[in-house]
Amino acid sequence: MRITGRRLGMLPVLVLPAVLLPATTVPATAEPDEPGSIVVEDGVTQPVFSYDDAIREVVRVQSPVISQDSGEPDLIYVDIIRPAASDGDLKVPTIIHTSPYFMGWQDFSNNRHGEIKPPPGAPLDFFPRFYDNYFVPRGYAVALVDLTGSRASTGCADVGGPAETEGLAAVVEWLAGEGHAVDLDGDEVTADWANGLSGMIGKSWDGTVPNAVAARGTEGLATIVPLVALSDWHTDFWANGARHGGTPTLWHDRHSDNPAMATECDTVRAELAAGQEDPDPGTDFWRQRTFVPDADKVEASVFVVSAMNDYTVPPVNFGRWWEALGDADVPRKLWLSQTAHEEPFDFRRTEWVSTLHRWFDHWLQGVDNGIMDEPMVEIERAPGEWTAHDDWPSGATAPVWLGTPRDAGDPRLGTLRTDPRDAVRDRTATFTETRRSVSQLAAAPTTVDPRRLVFQSPVLSEPVRISGSADVTVDARFAGPNATLTVLLVDYGEAERLQHATDGGLANLPTRTCFGAGNAADTGCYADVGLRTHIAPFEVVTRGWSYPAFQTGVDALEPGTDYRLTIDLQHHDYVYEAGHRIGVVIAGAETGLVSNRHPTTGNPIEIDLLGSRVELPVVGGPSALRAAFE
């Protein structure tokens, strides 16, 4: 890849065709009754600018990256809508949403409402999402940016690489008065209507790019709002040497709406094909695609929204990113939901629109509305029930040891105990590695199954909250030269739970709600969304995986040799209620997440229980856990 000049989400959801309407150019003249500045009442901007008369335009911003084999600089295609008054005295900030999905190039979209852009080539009458309907009348511009190599942007999709990052950074910098852009006629244009501040927002891949652009310290980027987004692309493919997830080469090839992808991107395609196959997170390929180490370069505020049961974007992405931002003293806010790969417009809509409005007003319009004085963190405890916290994570390490019960009347197959000196019946436990689904691995914990090990706490006498990241250390012996391990942290106890494994835990309803202004071309109306719940006897709280040969640094495991493995589990925040049990399951490869490239060996795996333990991030630490075990 060549870089000239200065420095140099995604994910499966069904896409439905949007209704395409003829594009027209709206007069670029402010109505006489439109003010020359924003109007603020009750701490928020008011909808005083005309949506129908807003200016709609297209620019193509030149990137400093040359990613195509032809040697031509990448050109980033941007659809913009802004108040007509911004052609006068009004200077407006810009809300940026970038995506590779605007043309519906996959069999899915990154939003459940199936909105895509009309074909390129003229200013848009229809802008996907509600941002234009809601924020333009309140004095904002909204820019929808085709990700590098998708729809009308040239260049090659390098899946988290410099072509994506620098292309979007160039758009932010152009809005701040730097760089070069042209209109559809090829005439140079400047953003003289902009106040120089931008905020980026998006879900999944669309939210990952804002993390990347912020991590380079981009001038003019005032805030980002990453929704269930990656902070480290490596974690989307590998965990302790175990492969899961998709392939960037596949995503690259399916940009079928951009013909140049098939003819101009051989170099990038080869880089992706080679780089993705290395499980080592320290390679140049993966280091280029992790933003956590550069959190200290972030100058923007960050509002992280993530889903604790999302394994399209593993929760470690919000956990590590949030902690790194805290270490760098970045102004921040966090929402954690119990959904899978979903965004707050669909699981907490009214609160979300109000909070996002105040967030953008504060960081982009300079409105002193007190949002940064409110609790920093909100967490969904039960379906639709949220609690506020001053910070996150809140747990302190509390170790529990694996064992087997001494009492013949104990229904548990394996035990969790807070005192390693407590006697156990057996020093070792053995299972046979097979590939099974996560529900099969966790169900019926008192039923003997030679394909897994299950360890349970006593019935809890009081609630236990875990907050942060847990890990499991095991001393293991393998009968064969390779194996794959899955570790589950489980809540055993019947409760009403969000059914996040089914459509993310949500369901579209027949009713619709409108946000902001609208017209026949773009109504701003969306299907209401409800929660899917069910009564279930257990919940898989979090999980982790390992390919032991990689973790121990050997080409092949030596049968009969002792290996100590520490397997980190995904970040979470969860309350085990009194009367429930904490459970740990150890088994072979998990169907659905761990790639078939890790074959089932059918070999026995022996765990030495004497030194094997779990370290839980318990609020209140070891003393709180001991009290709940009594």
Side-chain angles (χ1 to χ4, degrees), residues 106-124:
Q106 301 215 36
D107 296 330
F108 42 77
S109 170
N110 67 340
N111 75 92
R112 63 176 44 251
H113 304 284
E115 292 186 324
I116 58 176
K117 283 185 182 181
L124 298 183

Side-chain angles (χ1 to χ4, degrees), residues 247-271:
T247 66
T249 304
L250 174 63
W251 296 341
H252 182 286
D253 289 345
R254 293 185 68 181
H255 280 71
S256 57
D257 57 274
N258 190 328
M261 296 295 290
T263 59
E264 294 290 345
C265 298
D266 289 346
T267 301
V268 168
R269 185 178 289 109
E271 291 173 353

Side-chain angles (χ1 to χ4, degrees), residues 76-150:
I76 309 304
Y77 192 96
V78 187
D79 289 290
I80 298 171
I81 179 171
R82 55 187 174 89
S86 64
D87 261 8
D89 295 332
L90 180 69
K91 302 300 178 184
V92 298
T94 307
I95 297 169
I96 300 172
H97 176 199
T98 184
S99 182
Y101 305 116
F102 281 139
M103 201 67 171
W105 58 267
Q106 301 215 36
D107 296 330
F108 42 77
S109 170
N110 67 340
N111 75 92
R112 63 176 44 251
H113 304 284
E115 292 186 324
I116 58 176
K117 283 185 182 181
L124 298 183
D125 277 345
F126 174 76
F127 279 70
R129 303 301 183 103
F130 78 98
Y131 306 132
D132 58 308
N133 306 89
Y134 190 85
F135 285 104
V136 170
R138 289 168 167 80
Y140 291 81
V142 172
L144 301 188
V145 184
D146 299 343
L147 193 67
T148 303
S150 70

